[in-house]
Amino acid sequence: MYNLIMYLIQLGIAIAALFNEKARKMWKGERMAVKTLREKVDPNAEYIWFHAASLGEFEQGRPLIERIRKDYPQYKILLSFYSPSGYEVRKDYEGADIVVYMPIDTITNARRFLRAVHPVMAFFIKYEFWYNHLYILKHRGVPTYSVSSIFREDQVFFKWYGRQYGRVLKCFTHFFVQNEISKQLLGKIGIDNATVVGDTRFDRVTQIAETAKRLPIVDAFTGKFAADGNEPLPNAPKVFVAGSSWPPDEDIFIKFFNEHKDWKLIIAPHVIGEDHLKQILSKLDHKTVRYTQTTPEEAAKADCLIIDCFGLLSSIYNYGDVAYVGGGFGVGIHNVLEAGVWNMPVIFGPNNKHFMEARELIASGGGFEITDYDSFSFLMNKFIADSDFLSESGNKAGAFVKSKTGVSDKILEKIKL
């Protein structure tokens, strides 16, 4: 049944490629993967294979990739993606020697892929459980690890009808899981090779914060830093940073800040398209500038700055006093750790129940769930009126993130390189 489903998915992608650009990139990339490996694989080198579904999973695996790259330079790195949203962004990633798509997990594709490269070790990030590729790795005796994996009782592996597919989990040499519940669930189906280490994303956001860029336009807009220093200036206006926002999020916080213009507002929407940007501008009752269309001099006079490009959000959070992370009124919240690492409280919507880091951030006192405009307004007014509460909440968020770092070290202590 599993193999039939894989062939049907492959057929579906081929048909979708006729009409959809993303599917077309995926289809072409998968068909080129084995050819690329045959051209680029050095037969005299030893490869460690990392597989990530998309960009988010790659960011989880990245601290481990870069630690191995730095500490064990005798190995080459093969990085594969399932989704175009990962591959197209990171196809030129300098931390890997070869970057390819991973073909759909049919028996034929798996055999061809693993005949083209013979990894000495493999890492699958979070939710990646591809039976045919994993079975061949196990058959060859290749140590294979699941990193930052997390399991819930409602997953197919733990249902009576999912026992056959659940055999895929027995292909892993070891699981490095995020929490104790995941380890216990694996134990219930006879899998005891699991260690609770946490989530490598904590290592990644700490790494990002340590190398964050200063941005002259944002410097001028916020007035928070002197030109020659990193310590915040006294008496600078407070700054609210909304990251990865969607329209339902924007309806809430824009309404509030239209009435509280003593704060500066930075909006980095999740979707950067002209229609969405015009929609945001239509809601604002502020002097507003767009990042790519302004100068430091103009930005200094504005009340709101819209980030209309990618790649800056993790550094922009450094300028905030309060962060809002979008997605909680729809698809699910985005990365709350990128904001929390900067010692500021993090607000998000109600769709966060399956995001362990968000639930733990709330428990730490550094994260706050809102459900509507009134709950947002109540919380923000409390931050505005009580500077001690604002400061303490931010410190709790930062302390929570820092307490969870060191996951890559724990993994490397366990495996043999």
Side-chain angles (χ1 to χ4, degrees):
M1 179 62 73
Y2 174 83
N3 287 315
L4 174 61
I5 292 171
M6 289 299 104
Y7 281 108
L8 289 174
I9 290 174
Q10 184 171 254
L11 176 61
I13 293 172
I15 295 171
L18 299 173
F19 311 99
N20 181 274
E21 179 63 22
K22 182 177 179 180
R24 189 155 46 249
K25 288 179 179 179
M26 192 173 183
W27 175 246
K28 290 180 179 179
E30 288 176 358
R31 293 178 69 83
M32 286 294 295
V34 173
K35 182 176 184 292
T36 300
L37 290 176
R38 288 172 178 164
E39 291 174 351
K40 293 188 175 183
V41 165
D42 179 351
N44 299 313
E46 292 186 312
Y47 285 85
I48 294 178
W49 176 23
F50 282 85
H51 175 67
S54 190
L55 190 60
E57 289 79 10
F58 163 74
E59 290 295 329
Q60 282 184 287
R62 185 169 176 169
L64 196 56
I65 294 172
E66 295 181 357
R67 276 291 303 279
I68 290 175
R69 186 80 159 179
K70 176 176 177 289
D71 296 348
Y72 303 93
Q74 67 269 34
Y75 295 105
K76 289 184 178 292
I77 302 295
L78 165 65
L79 173 62
S80 66
F81 289 97
Y82 177 72
S83 168
S85 61
Y87 176 82
E88 296 299 330
V89 175
R90 294 301 179 195
K91 60 187 175 183
D92 298 318
Y93 172 56
E94 294 181 352
D97 297 279
I98 303 174
V99 183
V100 295
Y101 277 95
M102 179 178 175
I104 290 293
D105 189 40
T106 65
I107 295 173
T108 301
N109 285 345
R111 286 174 177 165
R112 292 173 67 234
F113 189 91
L114 289 166
R115 282 174 184 158
V117 62
H118 297 268
V120 297
M121 187 175 293
F123 293 88
F124 285 66
I125 311 301
K126 199 172 182 178
Y127 290 135
E128 293 300 273
F129 308 111
W130 298 108
Y131 182 82
N132 291 310
H133 285 81
L134 287 166
Y135 178 80
I136 293 173
L137 290 169
K138 182 181 180 182
H139 180 71
R140 289 184 181 177
V142 178
T144 303
Y145 303 99
S146 177
V147 175
S148 289
S149 44
I150 187 166
F151 295 94
R152 299 184 305 274
E153 202 166 4
D154 60 356
Q155 287 174 302
V156 66
F157 312 112
F158 311 110
K159 304 294 186 181
W160 64 266
Y161 53 80
R163 288 174 186 167
Q164 185 173 4
Y165 178 57
R167 291 184 302 174
V168 69
L169 301 179
K170 295 185 181 295
C171 293
F172 286 97
T173 306
H174 203 86
F175 290 86
F176 295 101
V177 297
Q178 292 190 32
N179 57 19
E180 187 64 35
I181 293 173
S182 296
K183 182 178 179 179
Q184 291 172 1
L185 286 169
L186 290 172
K188 287 181 179 179
I189 58 173
I191 296 174
D192 299 317
N193 53 331
T195 303
V196 180
V197 295
D199 189 344
T200 47
R201 279 184 301 171
F202 288 92
D203 291 351
R204 178 61 184 150
V205 296
T206 302
Q207 184 184 57
I208 290 171
E210 290 171 349
T211 58
K213 299 174 287 189
R214 287 285 298 278
L215 304 168
I217 287 173
V218 188
D219 278 346
F221 172 75
T222 62
K224 288 184 76 84
F225 299 103
D228 58 351
N230 291 311
E231 288 299 317
L233 292 170
N235 303 318
K238 297 292 186 185
V239 178
F240 182 90
V241 179
S244 302
S245 63
W246 294 78
D249 306 302
E250 293 149 6
D251 287 340
I252 290 174
F253 64 73
I254 288 177
K255 178 181 177 181
F256 181 87
F257 286 103
N258 277 341
E259 300 171 2
H260 294 80
K261 296 182 180 179
D262 49 334
W263 278 57
K264 294 268 191 171
L265 175 61
I266 300 178
I267 305 173
H270 183 73
V271 176
I272 298 176
E274 284 303 312
D275 288 344
H276 187 199
L277 294 173
K278 288 177 182 177
Q279 185 182 69
I280 293 171
L281 286 166
S282 71
K283 297 174 183 177
L284 286 162
D285 183 19
H286 285 267
K287 179 175 174 53
T288 303
V289 292
R290 289 172 52 166
Y291 185 87
T292 63
Q293 298 178 4
T294 192
T295 64
E297 293 73 24
E298 291 176 342
K301 301 172 186 176
D303 303 308
C304 178
L305 174 64
I306 297 178
I307 309 302
D308 56 351
C309 57
F310 292 109
L312 301 181
L313 180 57
S314 57
S315 294
I316 285 171
Y317 278 129
N318 181 29
Y319 294 88
D321 294 281
V322 175
Y324 182 99
V325 175
F329 287 92
V331 296
I333 57 170
H334 297 286
N335 192 341
V336 299
L337 304 180
E338 279 188 332
V341 73
W342 291 108
N343 297 313
M344 62 178 163
V346 185
I347 305 171
F348 39 83
N351 188 3
N352 61 72
K353 303 301 185 290
H354 292 308
F355 297 83
M356 186 179 71
E357 68 281 5
R359 305 306 297 170
E360 291 183 342
L361 190 59
I362 291 172
S364 77
F368 299 86
E369 176 185 304
I370 56 107
T371 56
D372 52 23
Y373 175 80
D374 289 340
S375 58
F376 177 81
S377 177
F378 177 84
L379 178 61
M380 281 303 306
N381 281 323
K382 189 173 181 179
F383 284 140
I384 292 169
D386 190 343
S387 59
D388 288 340
F389 175 63
L390 173 60
S391 177
E392 289 168 5
S393 299
N395 289 336
K396 287 175 180 177
F400 164 72
V401 175
K402 291 176 179 62
S403 73
K404 298 284 187 175
T405 58
V407 178
S408 300
D409 292 332
K410 295 175 183 176
I411 294 171
L412 289 174
E413 286 172 6
K414 186 79 174 178
I415 66 177
K416 298 185 186 299
L417 280 168

